[in-house]
Each structure stands twice: as C-alpha cells, then as structure tokens.
Amino acid sequence: MNVATPAAEGRTTLYHRRYAKQQAAKTLGHVAPALVLFFGVVPILSGEEHLTFLGALEIAVGAAYLGLMARELRHLRHNPFHREPVAWLELAAASILALESYHIWHRHHAAELAGAPHRLHVLPWLYAAVALMYVVLAFRLNQLTDRQFLHLHADGFAVRTHRLGPAHELTWAEVTAVEPVGPADVLVHRADGQQHRISFANSHDGAAHRDRLLAHYQTAKKS
C-alpha cells in the first residue's frame, strides 16, 4: 500500500518497511496481559473467590480488551497504517495490569490482617510499573512514529529517516544539487561543500518518497 501523499508539498510520516509486521507483532505481544487477566479471573470463575466489584470490573475490562485486540488485528489486515490519537489497546492493557496489581496487593493485605506474616510482594509493583509503561505508550506512540518524516515546503525540505537519527533541515539557499544514488537514496550537495547522503531504503515506499524529494527539488530549481 502506498502511503505517500500525491501532493508535492507537505509533511509525510515515513513508516519502516516492516511497519505492518512490527505492528502485528506488537498486537500479538498483548497476549501477556491477556494471560494475566486469565489467571486473575480463574479463581473467580472456578468459585475459589467470591465475585466482587473489583472482580467484575476485571472481567468487564478484559472483555473490552479482547474486543480491542480483535479490532486492532482487523485494522492491521485492512490498513496497517491506521492510527488513532490514543492507542486504546495499550490503555486497556494498562487497566488490566493496574487492576490485577491492586487485586494481588489487596489479597495479600487481607491475609496479613488475618494473621499471616508480613512479606514484600514484588509482583504487584512489577504489574504497576508495566501498566505505567503502557499508559505512556498509549499517548506517545504517535509522537514516536512521527519522528520519521519527509517535509517538503516552498523554501526547502526537512527529513528524518531514522527514529533516533538527526533531522536534516535545508533551505534551497543552502543546496546546490540533489541527485539520486542507488534505488532509494539521494545525495545532497550543500553550498558550503558538505554532502549528505539520505537513504529511504528502510522506509515503506522508500523509492517513491525519494522521487518526491527529487521532483520537489527540480520544481524549485525551475522556479
């Protein structure tokens, strides 16, 4: 699927060429919170524990979580580049882990009140830490993805092809030539004698994005 916009100018997010597979792997990675949910509600379903408000809430959140996972897989099948302002699946995973963290802590706390010796239980804190990580991801995933971009504008262009790499921001006054190199790279010649090789090889539709940049340069050169 081509995600490059047909317009000559504008900002386009650059997705990794394996983005669809990475998203599918991330979604399937949510099996871990699903297992936490399963083992958390088994005592309730088997009758070992009474159904409480907390237990009912866990079951309700778990049902929503499984529905969101199925929805995510459906989106990946039809449009792997579909994105929402909030990653609801991550937020649901955080809710499950937070509820299970409290559930475990409450169970041990009740046992201690009944006379059991005090012990430090790591699992509730571990679940809480992972839940916090999921909350951060739920609201920051889009920002992380948008770090790779190609921005074409009237005065030049800006591009970052690696999430942790530097961004190149150049105006036409700084550029003397932009030429193709290989199947999906460009070599930018600057007025100060420096050269920058920018590779789109690891981007989805990398050759198309490279050609957009070349066409943008040719249009600016003629104007």
Side-chain angles (χ1 to χ4, degrees):
M1 179 178 177
N2 192 323
V3 295
T5 58
E9 294 186 7
R11 182 184 172 107
T12 304
T13 297
L14 300 179
Y15 297 93
H16 193 276
R17 57 191 175 87
R18 297 196 187 96
Y19 180 81
K21 292 182 178 179
Q22 291 172 347
Q23 291 301 104
K26 178 179 73 69
T27 301
L28 292 175
H30 282 276
V31 169
L35 289 174
V36 169
L37 167 71
F38 174 76
F39 289 114
V41 301
V42 160
I44 298 172
L45 298 177
S46 64
E48 295 179 19
E49 292 185 8
H50 295 295
L51 180 63
T52 62
F53 174 76
L54 180 62
L57 187 59
E58 281 189 271
I59 294 172
V61 171
Y65 178 71
L66 295 176
L68 286 169
M69 186 182 292
R71 176 172 173 265
E72 187 84 1
L73 289 171
R74 186 170 63 253
H75 281 154
L76 289 174
R77 186 165 59 252
H78 296 295
N79 180 10
F81 304 99
H82 170 83
R83 294 197 297 168
E84 296 178 310
V86 176
W88 294 107
L89 186 58
E90 272 67 27
L91 208 55
S95 300
I96 286 174
L97 291 168
L99 285 170
E100 188 59 21
S101 170
Y102 177 77
H103 193 171
I104 295 172
W105 174 85
H106 185 268
R107 187 187 304 145
H108 290 303
H109 181 65
E112 290 174 6
L113 291 177
H118 175 73
R119 292 171 54 193
L120 176 64
H121 299 282
V122 177
L123 198 56
W125 298 103
L126 179 61
Y127 283 175
V130 178
L132 181 60
M133 180 193 72
Y134 272 121
V135 170
V136 173
L137 285 175
F139 293 98
R140 296 295 299 273
L141 273 177
N142 283 342
Q143 292 179 3
L144 290 173
T145 302
D146 287 339
R147 282 186 59 81
Q148 296 169 242
F149 67 92
L150 173 63
H151 184 199
L152 306 179
H153 54 86
D155 297 325
F157 67 93
V159 60
R160 180 189 283 118
T161 56
H162 297 282
R163 187 172 293 174
L164 299 179
H168 296 285
E169 299 183 20
L170 296 167
T171 64
W172 297 134
E174 300 174 278
V175 175
T176 58
V178 180
E179 59 183 14
V181 180
D185 295 9
V186 293
L187 187 63
V188 179
H189 299 268
R190 294 180 49 164
D192 60 7
Q194 295 186 54
Q195 295 180 344
H196 297 298
R197 179 163 179 162
I198 302 172
S199 177
F200 294 90
N202 285 326
S203 299
H204 177 78
D205 283 340
H209 291 300
R210 188 275 304 270
D211 292 344
R212 286 181 63 224
L213 176 55
L214 289 171
H216 184 57
Y217 168 70
Q218 292 298 331
T219 300
K221 187 178 178 182
K222 292 175 183 177
S223 62

